[in-house]
Amino acid sequence: MTPTRADFPPGFLFGTATSAYQIEGTGGAGPCHWDSFAATPGNVAGAADGRRACGHLDRYAEDLDLVAAAGFDIYRFSTSWARVLPEGAGAPDPEGLDFYDRLVDATLARGLKPALTLYHWELPSPLADRGGWTNRDTALRFGDFAALMAERLGDRVWSWATLNEPWCAAWLGHFAGVHAPGLRDIRATARAMHHLALGHGVGLAALRAGGVGQIGIVLNFEPAFPADRGEAVRAATLRYDAVFNRFFLGGVARGAYPELALEGLGPHLPRGWQADLDAIGAPIDWLGVNYYTVKRITHAPGPWPNWAEVPGPGRKTDMGWEIAPMALPDLLRWISGSHTGDLPLYVTENGMAAPDTPVAGETGPEIHDEDRIAFLSSHLAAAREAIAEGVPLKGYIVWSLLDNFEWAFGYGKRFGLVHVDFESLQRTPKASYHALKRMLEDRRP
Ligand code: IFM
């Protein structure tokens, strides 16, 4: 695989990522809105749920051994709010806190930097019952959760992210209805967008008050291109860009939401939302950029936002996502040039889903995921190009360590560097894992 570690600046960090609900298995956690979303027929492919997932709760040591053996520097993971605070607030469950304590210690013991994301989508059901992210109180309770985690783990965690991909939690969960809580309502969407942004701000303040540093947020980006000529298509593309790429970035980096997003969402925002922008736009220490694909947009009739996605010309992953490494340098340049300046950027997720069928090898199953090796190589080359052009990119993290619960797609979409047999839970490193290991070993001066 090229480029290799030696082609990146000294100190550039490589990692791999997971999230709590997707790998842990629920055992002992309080109920969360993904449990009830998955328990509702038709929401998740194969009627799958997160009850067992990858059994990481019991196998975390083996999983961390895999991260360390590959030669990664960073292990990015998330904490389940419902495991730590089954009621969403109030008394923590000591066993939940102990699990993350052990996980952080085990990460450090292997020479890895623990990069913790507080919220990767599993909202405790008692908070969902009170309106979830449509309710301002959820953002305040998130601050309490952040304070608790800072107090317990602040002495050992290397970096903190408040939220992962708030656009998905807000838009896919409240507008498209394909993520928990499964709503399709623009008013709920607007409120969830704002309260997630506020949750970031409140969480950030709580982490700062707790004395921890290296605090950021992880946002997902999809550069959008007009699918056809014409003013209506161009306008639809700009609207898509405003909602997808610029809403949270604008809030966090400028303390302002883009006008084009406010055109549709503004009338539904909670009264006095402007007063929250100072907290939302408070300084952060780094920004996480999740990058998978680009979008081709056309105009759609009907109510705002009047856009529709159309398939692009490029090759697609198993998710149907167009493979577009060439858009990554432009994206990173645009983020730093227009919003974040010298702020360190990290690619906090990049990877692809592929069928990854095991074949019999001499010593056991083998997975020849050459497509993933090509995908990762091309995106690493794109990251390197961005650095050469002066983007302050400091690290690159692969999604994901393990095949896992891919939300509404259940267990059918495999993103892992390590194959998981969901019957036996056996882990088998794929060819991409071995290729990355070799590329990380290259430390030639
Ligand atoms: O699996 C997800 C992850 O939870 C968030 N970012 C995108 C990944 C692939 O869809």
Side-chain angles (χ1 to χ4, degrees):
M1 177 181 284
T2 53
T4 72
R5 187 194 276 277
D7 297 313
F8 286 82
F12 189 86
L13 298 171
F14 294 89
T16 186
T18 61
S19 91
Y21 196 79
Q22 292 179 273
I23 65 165
E24 286 177 358
T26 46
C32 80
H33 71 171
W34 263 98
D35 297 329
S36 48
F37 183 76
T40 310
N43 280 345
V44 177
D49 59 41
R51 268 182 286 187
R52 197 161 82 124
C54 303
H56 174 76
L57 214 49
D58 300 320
R59 293 168 188 252
Y60 70 91
E62 178 191 346
D63 294 338
L64 289 173
D65 284 345
L66 285 163
V67 182
F72 287 114
D73 310 301
I74 298 172
Y75 176 53
R76 177 173 175 243
F77 64 99
S78 75
T79 48
S80 160
W81 188 347
R83 183 177 305 292
V84 171
L85 288 161
E87 294 298 319
D93 180 343
E95 283 185 29
L97 278 171
D98 286 351
F99 172 68
Y100 293 115
D101 210 77
R102 287 196 300 276
L103 184 68
V104 169
D105 282 347
T107 304
L108 290 168
R110 287 161 178 78
L112 297 162
K113 298 181 188 307
L116 184 156
T117 300
L118 284 167
Y119 184 71
H120 197 127
W121 307 350
E122 63 284 87
L123 187 71
S125 296
L127 297 181
D129 294 343
R130 298 201 285 276
W133 289 108
T134 67
N135 182 348
R136 180 185 182 83
D137 185 61
T138 296
L140 308 184
R141 299 292 68 81
F142 180 67
D144 299 342
F145 172 49
L148 178 68
M149 298 308 273
E151 188 186 332
R152 182 64 181 254
L153 302 175
D155 55 338
R156 284 158 291 152
V157 163
W158 174 70
S159 81
W160 295 79
T162 52
L163 309 177
N164 183 72
E165 299 183 354
W167 178 89
C168 293
W171 196 267
L172 297 181
H174 300 77
F175 193 87
V178 296
H179 274 202
L183 299 180
R184 299 201 65 226
D185 184 276
I186 192 168
R187 189 168 179 81
T189 306
R191 283 158 188 259
M193 299 275 278
H194 178 65
H195 292 144
L196 276 152
L198 177 62
H200 159 75
V202 173
L204 171 63
L207 292 173
R208 290 255 186 259
V212 307
Q214 286 305 325
I215 309 167
I217 182 170
V218 172
L219 303 179
N220 51 324
F221 294 90
E222 285 183 352
F225 301 97
D228 308 294
R229 290 175 195 279
E231 188 43 39
V233 173
R234 199 182 78 87
T237 308
L238 291 176
R239 271 195 303 281
Y240 182 91
D241 183 55
V243 173
F244 197 115
N245 297 316
R246 295 196 288 117
F247 187 88
F248 290 100
L249 180 64
V252 166
R254 293 182 176 165
Y257 298 141
E259 280 305 320
L260 282 179
L262 290 175
E263 271 178 11
L265 298 176
H268 304 290
L269 285 171
R271 194 169 300 147
W273 59 271
Q274 296 89 342
D276 296 328
L277 289 172
D278 283 349
I280 294 167
I284 52 176
D285 303 315
W286 57 273
L287 177 74
V289 176
N290 288 0
Y291 177 70
Y292 290 92
T293 189
V294 294
K295 280 284 156 63
R296 316 283 170 174
I297 303 297
T298 191
H299 172 81
W304 188 93
N306 305 107
W307 72 55
E309 299 173 16
V310 300
R315 287 186 44 236
K316 314 285 187 307
T317 70
D318 205 30
M319 297 292 281
W321 296 349
E322 188 175 353
I323 300 174
M326 57 286 186
L328 179 59
D330 280 351
L331 171 68
L332 294 170
R333 249 192 322 262
W334 169 73
I335 292 171
S336 60
S338 64
H339 283 79
T340 56
D342 294 338
L343 189 76
L345 302 181
Y346 290 82
V347 171
T348 31
E349 286 183 26
N350 177 238
M352 72 176 281
D356 296 337
T357 313
V359 296
E362 276 177 24
T363 54
E366 292 177 358
I367 297 95
H368 299 283
D369 56 339
E370 307 301 333
D371 42 4
R372 183 173 288 104
I373 294 174
F375 181 100
L376 295 174
S377 295
S378 61
H379 286 79
L380 282 165
R384 194 165 159 256
E385 183 185 322
I387 296 167
E389 288 168 5
V391 172
L393 183 68
K394 304 297 180 193
Y396 171 91
I397 299 177
V398 181
W399 184 268
S400 176
L401 172 67
L402 303 172
D403 294 338
N404 58 48
F405 178 70
E406 179 54 27
W407 306 111
F409 296 90
Y411 293 95
K413 303 293 178 193
R414 294 180 176 273
F415 276 88
L417 299 172
V418 174
H419 181 273
V420 176
D421 176 327
F422 290 110
E423 292 297 317
S424 66
L425 296 185
Q426 187 189 334
R427 276 78 163 140
T428 307
K430 303 177 189 176
S432 57
Y433 173 95
H434 296 296
L436 271 167
K437 181 171 168 16
R438 284 192 296 276
M439 97 85 177
L440 291 169
E441 278 164 1
D442 183 4
R443 293 179 184 268
R444 81 198 119 89

